[in-house]
Amino acid sequence: MNGYWDGPKPEPQIRTIEEMRDVLADPGCSSDQPLYFMYRDLARNDDDRKWLRQHRIRYDITVIPARTLCGEYVKTMGHYHTENPAGALYPEIYEVLEGTGHYLLQTRSVDDVVMIEASAGDKILIPPGYGHVTINPGREDLVMANLVSPEFSSNYGPYGELRGAAYYEMEGGALVKNPRYPDAPPVRYCNPVEVPDLGIERGVGLYDLIGRPRSVAFLNHPEQFMEIFADVTGGCLVMR
Protein backbone atom coordinates (compact mmCIF):
# COMPACT_ATOMS: atom_id res chain seq x y z
CA MET A 1 0.00 0.00 0.00
CA ASN A 2 3.00 2.28 -0.45
CA GLY A 3 1.83 5.45 -2.14
CA TYR A 4 -1.72 5.06 -0.84
CA TRP A 5 -1.15 5.50 2.86
CA ASP A 6 1.10 8.03 4.57
CA GLY A 7 -0.01 7.46 8.15
CA PRO A 8 0.96 4.89 10.79
CA LYS A 9 0.83 1.40 9.30
CA PRO A 10 0.04 -1.50 11.62
CA GLU A 11 1.06 -5.05 10.93
CA PRO A 12 -1.45 -6.53 8.46
CA GLN A 13 -3.72 -9.45 9.01
CA ILE A 14 -2.69 -12.01 6.38
CA ARG A 15 -5.10 -14.42 4.72
CA THR A 16 -3.52 -17.75 3.83
CA ILE A 17 -4.71 -20.53 1.58
CA GLU A 18 -5.37 -22.75 4.58
CA GLU A 19 -7.95 -20.26 5.82
CA MET A 20 -9.45 -19.98 2.32
CA ARG A 21 -9.51 -23.63 1.35
CA ASP A 22 -13.23 -24.11 2.06
CA VAL A 23 -14.26 -21.38 -0.40
CA LEU A 24 -12.02 -22.25 -3.35
CA ALA A 25 -13.19 -23.78 -6.60
CA ASP A 26 -10.44 -26.35 -6.05
CA PRO A 27 -10.11 -26.93 -2.29
CA GLY A 28 -7.08 -29.12 -2.91
CA CYS A 29 -5.11 -26.23 -4.38
CA SER A 30 -1.85 -25.30 -2.68
CA SER A 31 0.14 -22.08 -2.39
CA ASP A 32 2.98 -20.97 -0.14
CA GLN A 33 2.24 -17.27 -0.76
CA PRO A 34 -0.08 -15.02 1.27
CA LEU A 35 -3.34 -14.43 -0.59
CA TYR A 36 -4.08 -10.93 0.66
CA PHE A 37 -3.26 -8.40 3.36
CA MET A 38 -5.72 -6.46 5.54
CA TYR A 39 -4.72 -3.24 7.31
CA ARG A 40 -7.46 -2.48 9.82
CA ASP A 41 -8.54 0.62 11.71
CA LEU A 42 -6.28 3.17 10.03
CA ALA A 43 -6.01 6.88 10.82
CA ARG A 44 -3.42 9.38 9.66
CA ASN A 45 -3.33 11.32 12.91
CA ASP A 46 -4.85 11.51 16.38
CA ASP A 47 -7.55 13.99 15.36
CA ASP A 48 -8.78 11.72 12.57
CA ARG A 49 -8.78 8.71 14.88
CA LYS A 50 -10.78 10.62 17.47
CA TRP A 51 -13.35 11.60 14.83
CA LEU A 52 -13.61 8.06 13.47
CA ARG A 53 -14.17 6.62 16.91
CA GLN A 54 -16.65 9.32 17.87
CA HIS A 55 -18.73 8.52 14.78
CA ARG A 56 -18.17 4.75 15.02
CA ILE A 57 -16.46 4.38 11.66
CA ARG A 58 -13.46 2.25 10.70
CA TYR A 59 -11.17 2.86 7.72
CA ASP A 60 -9.29 -0.14 6.30
CA ILE A 61 -7.05 -0.90 3.32
CA THR A 62 -6.80 -4.35 1.73
CA VAL A 63 -4.14 -5.43 -0.78
CA ILE A 64 -4.90 -8.43 -3.01
CA PRO A 65 -1.91 -9.46 -5.16
CA ALA A 66 -2.57 -10.63 -8.69
CA ARG A 67 -2.43 -14.42 -8.97
CA THR A 68 -4.53 -17.46 -9.70
CA LEU A 69 -5.18 -20.51 -7.56
CA CYS A 70 -5.48 -23.60 -9.72
CA GLY A 71 -7.17 -21.56 -12.43
CA GLU A 72 -9.32 -19.37 -10.15
CA TYR A 73 -8.62 -15.68 -9.66
CA VAL A 74 -7.56 -14.83 -6.12
CA LYS A 75 -10.40 -13.43 -4.00
CA THR A 76 -11.46 -12.59 -0.48
CA MET A 77 -13.18 -15.14 1.70
CA GLY A 78 -16.63 -13.58 1.47
CA HIS A 79 -18.93 -12.56 4.29
CA TYR A 80 -22.39 -11.36 5.23
CA HIS A 81 -23.13 -8.52 7.62
CA THR A 82 -24.90 -8.64 10.96
CA GLU A 83 -27.78 -6.44 12.18
CA ASN A 84 -27.56 -3.08 13.89
CA PRO A 85 -29.59 -2.32 17.06
CA ALA A 86 -32.54 -1.20 14.92
CA GLY A 87 -32.64 -4.59 13.20
CA ALA A 88 -31.23 -3.35 9.88
CA LEU A 89 -28.30 -5.12 8.26
CA TYR A 90 -25.11 -3.10 8.14
CA PRO A 91 -23.87 -1.84 4.74
CA GLU A 92 -20.28 -1.19 3.68
CA ILE A 93 -18.54 0.97 1.09
CA TYR A 94 -15.32 0.35 -0.85
CA GLU A 95 -13.05 2.45 -3.02
CA VAL A 96 -10.56 1.03 -5.51
CA LEU A 97 -7.21 2.76 -5.07
CA GLU A 98 -5.25 0.74 -7.63
CA GLY A 99 -6.00 -2.04 -10.06
CA THR A 100 -9.33 -3.58 -11.01
CA GLY A 101 -11.76 -5.34 -8.70
CA HIS A 102 -14.76 -7.54 -9.33
CA TYR A 103 -17.25 -7.35 -6.47
CA LEU A 104 -19.58 -10.34 -6.43
CA LEU A 105 -22.65 -9.65 -4.31
CA GLN A 106 -25.43 -12.05 -3.38
CA THR A 107 -28.43 -12.02 -1.10
CA ARG A 108 -28.57 -14.50 1.75
CA SER A 109 -31.38 -16.35 -0.04
CA VAL A 110 -29.31 -16.13 -3.25
CA ASP A 111 -32.26 -14.90 -5.27
CA ASP A 112 -30.07 -12.08 -6.62
CA VAL A 113 -26.41 -12.23 -7.66
CA VAL A 114 -24.68 -9.04 -8.82
CA MET A 115 -21.22 -8.36 -10.24
CA ILE A 116 -19.72 -4.85 -10.08
CA GLU A 117 -16.49 -4.13 -11.96
CA ALA A 118 -14.55 -1.22 -10.53
CA SER A 119 -11.27 0.55 -11.26
CA ALA A 120 -9.25 3.22 -9.49
CA GLY A 121 -11.48 5.96 -8.10
CA ASP A 122 -14.70 3.94 -8.23
CA LYS A 123 -16.85 3.42 -5.13
CA ILE A 124 -18.75 0.21 -4.48
CA LEU A 125 -21.66 0.33 -2.07
CA ILE A 126 -22.59 -2.98 -0.45
CA PRO A 127 -26.28 -2.61 0.43
CA PRO A 128 -27.95 -4.17 3.46
CA GLY A 129 -28.77 -7.81 2.92
CA TYR A 130 -25.96 -8.63 0.50
CA GLY A 131 -22.91 -10.74 1.18
CA HIS A 132 -19.87 -10.09 -0.97
CA VAL A 133 -16.60 -11.42 -2.31
CA THR A 134 -13.88 -9.28 -3.90
CA ILE A 135 -11.93 -10.77 -6.81
CA ASN A 136 -8.71 -9.53 -8.38
CA PRO A 137 -9.05 -10.37 -12.10
CA GLY A 138 -6.09 -8.29 -13.22
CA ARG A 139 -2.34 -8.50 -13.67
CA GLU A 140 -1.54 -5.97 -10.94
CA ASP A 141 -2.25 -5.71 -7.26
CA LEU A 142 -5.77 -4.69 -6.27
CA VAL A 143 -5.58 -2.08 -3.52
CA MET A 144 -8.87 -1.01 -1.99
CA ALA A 145 -10.07 1.00 0.97
CA ASN A 146 -13.31 0.58 2.86
CA LEU A 147 -15.40 2.35 5.45
CA VAL A 148 -17.55 0.28 7.77
CA SER A 149 -19.10 0.43 11.20
CA PRO A 150 -16.88 -1.27 13.79
CA GLU A 151 -20.08 -2.40 15.49
CA PHE A 152 -20.70 -5.17 12.96
CA SER A 153 -18.90 -8.47 12.70
CA SER A 154 -18.30 -10.40 9.48
CA ASN A 155 -20.26 -13.63 9.14
CA TYR A 156 -18.06 -15.96 7.08
CA GLY A 157 -19.95 -19.14 7.96
CA PRO A 158 -22.43 -19.38 5.05
CA TYR A 159 -19.65 -18.99 2.47
CA GLY A 160 -17.58 -21.70 4.11
CA GLU A 161 -20.53 -24.07 4.41
CA LEU A 162 -21.39 -23.71 0.71
CA ARG A 163 -17.80 -23.73 -0.59
CA GLY A 164 -17.74 -20.07 -1.55
CA ALA A 165 -20.06 -17.76 -3.44
CA ALA A 166 -22.64 -18.79 -6.01
CA TYR A 167 -20.06 -18.39 -8.78
CA TYR A 168 -16.30 -18.81 -9.13
CA GLU A 169 -14.42 -16.49 -11.48
CA MET A 170 -11.80 -18.46 -13.37
CA GLU A 171 -8.75 -17.28 -15.28
CA GLY A 172 -9.91 -15.55 -18.45
CA GLY A 173 -13.09 -14.26 -16.79
CA ALA A 174 -15.38 -17.27 -17.06
CA LEU A 175 -17.94 -17.51 -14.26
CA VAL A 176 -18.48 -21.09 -13.16
CA LYS A 177 -21.56 -21.84 -11.10
CA ASN A 178 -20.97 -23.35 -7.68
CA PRO A 179 -22.98 -26.62 -7.74
CA ARG A 180 -24.03 -26.07 -4.12
CA TYR A 181 -26.27 -23.24 -5.36
CA PRO A 182 -28.45 -25.08 -7.89
CA ASP A 183 -31.14 -22.39 -7.86
CA ALA A 184 -28.88 -19.36 -8.10
CA PRO A 185 -29.98 -17.00 -10.88
CA PRO A 186 -27.69 -15.73 -13.63
CA VAL A 187 -25.35 -12.93 -12.62
CA ARG A 188 -26.55 -9.38 -13.15
CA TYR A 189 -23.94 -6.73 -13.93
CA CYS A 190 -23.91 -3.30 -12.34
CA ASN A 191 -21.85 -0.16 -12.62
CA PRO A 192 -20.29 1.50 -9.57
CA VAL A 193 -22.58 4.19 -8.17
CA GLU A 194 -22.16 7.66 -6.76
CA VAL A 195 -24.29 9.25 -4.04
CA PRO A 196 -23.79 12.99 -4.60
CA ASP A 197 -26.34 13.86 -1.91
CA LEU A 198 -23.94 12.33 0.62
CA GLY A 199 -20.80 13.66 -1.02
CA ILE A 200 -19.84 10.19 -2.27
CA GLU A 201 -18.65 10.78 -5.81
CA ARG A 202 -15.69 10.44 -8.12
CA GLY A 203 -12.80 12.62 -7.11
CA VAL A 204 -13.66 12.36 -3.42
CA GLY A 205 -11.79 9.59 -1.63
CA LEU A 206 -13.34 7.67 1.22
CA TYR A 207 -10.78 9.11 3.60
CA ASP A 208 -11.95 12.58 2.54
CA LEU A 209 -15.30 11.80 4.20
CA ILE A 210 -13.70 12.16 7.62
CA GLY A 211 -15.18 15.31 9.10
CA ARG A 212 -18.44 14.86 7.17
CA PRO A 213 -20.79 13.05 9.57
CA ARG A 214 -23.76 13.02 7.19
CA SER A 215 -21.67 11.30 4.51
CA VAL A 216 -20.99 8.30 6.73
CA ALA A 217 -24.10 8.14 8.94
CA PHE A 218 -25.65 5.47 6.68
CA LEU A 219 -22.98 2.99 7.80
CA ASN A 220 -24.42 2.84 11.31
CA HIS A 221 -28.03 3.77 10.56
CA PRO A 222 -28.92 2.21 7.19
CA GLU A 223 -32.62 2.17 8.13
CA GLN A 224 -32.60 5.97 7.77
CA PHE A 225 -31.06 5.91 4.28
CA MET A 226 -32.78 3.05 2.47
CA GLU A 227 -33.38 5.21 -0.60
CA ILE A 228 -29.66 5.39 -1.38
CA PHE A 229 -29.45 1.62 -1.76
CA ALA A 230 -32.14 1.44 -4.47
CA ASP A 231 -29.66 2.41 -7.19
CA VAL A 232 -27.32 -0.38 -6.20
CA THR A 233 -29.83 -3.19 -6.46
CA GLY A 234 -32.23 -1.66 -8.96
CA GLY A 235 -31.83 1.27 -11.29
CA CYS A 236 -28.08 1.10 -11.87
CA LEU A 237 -28.03 -2.51 -13.01
CA VAL A 238 -27.00 -3.04 -16.61
CA MET A 239 -27.59 -6.37 -18.29
CA ARG A 240 -24.79 -7.75 -20.48
Side-chain angles (χ1 to χ4, degrees):
M1 51 188 242
N2 293 337
Y4 297 96
W5 183 248
D6 55 7
K9 186 169 68 172
E11 287 298 314
Q13 298 177 31
I14 299 174
R15 192 71 77 192
T16 68
I17 196 166
E18 292 305 322
E19 296 171 294
M20 292 282 292
R21 195 169 300 286
D22 285 348
V23 301
L24 298 178
D26 181 356
C29 194
S30 62
S31 173
D32 59 0
Q33 299 295 315
L35 300 192
Y36 57 98
F37 305 85
M38 300 167 284
Y39 299 86
R40 303 291 198 199
D41 196 19
L42 300 175
R44 288 197 172 111
N45 53 59
D46 290 342
D47 287 343
D48 287 353
R49 184 168 299 282
K50 181 178 178 180
W51 191 93
L52 287 163
R53 288 180 174 172
Q54 178 183 356
H55 293 85
R56 294 182 295 135
I57 300 296
R58 195 183 77 210
Y59 180 84
D60 308 324
I61 290 178
T62 301
V63 180
I64 308 176
R67 61 172 54 102
T68 57
L69 298 169
C70 298
E72 181 183 12
Y73 285 131
V74 69
K75 63 187 178 183
T76 60
M77 186 175 290
H79 66 266
Y80 290 94
H81 296 179
T82 50
E83 292 183 351
N84 73 356
L89 293 161
Y90 284 104
E92 191 167 5
I93 188 166
Y94 287 85
E95 175 188 12
V96 175
L97 303 177
E98 178 182 291
T100 298
H102 287 175
Y103 294 79
L104 184 63
L105 285 60
Q106 63 187 49
T107 54
R108 186 63 181 270
S109 61
V110 200
D111 60 351
D112 191 27
V113 182
V114 174
M115 178 76 85
I116 301 172
E117 179 174 308
S119 56
D122 288 334
K123 315 295 188 303
I124 306 91
L125 189 57
I126 311 297
Y130 282 77
H132 56 101
V133 169
T134 304
I135 302 160
N136 182 355
R139 297 183 179 181
E140 60 181 330
D141 290 355
L142 168 60
V143 183
M144 61 183 183
N146 70 281
L147 289 176
V148 68
S149 170
E151 306 297 321
F152 101 98
S153 57
S154 298
N155 181 4
Y156 299 104
Y159 281 93
E161 292 165 6
L162 293 172
R163 295 286 183 183
Y167 290 86
Y168 303 111
E169 185 169 8
M170 310 305 289
E171 189 171 11
L175 289 177
V176 175
K177 191 172 186 179
N178 182 338
R180 292 164 185 81
Y181 295 85
D183 299 322
V187 175
R188 299 195 294 164
Y189 290 83
C190 179
N191 295 322
V193 299
E194 299 180 0
V195 191
D197 289 347
L198 297 184
I200 299 170
E201 51 196 332
R202 196 165 186 86
V204 178
L206 290 187
Y207 201 88
D208 297 331
L209 301 183
I210 292 176
R212 305 182 188 183
R214 186 174 181 275
S215 294
V216 298
F218 74 94
L219 292 168
N220 280 293
H221 304 286
E223 70 280 359
Q224 299 176 15
F225 294 87
M226 293 307 291
E227 71 280 359
I228 75 170
F229 302 116
D231 285 342
V232 181
T233 57
C236 83
L237 289 171
V238 179
M239 302 303 294
R240 287 184 183 172

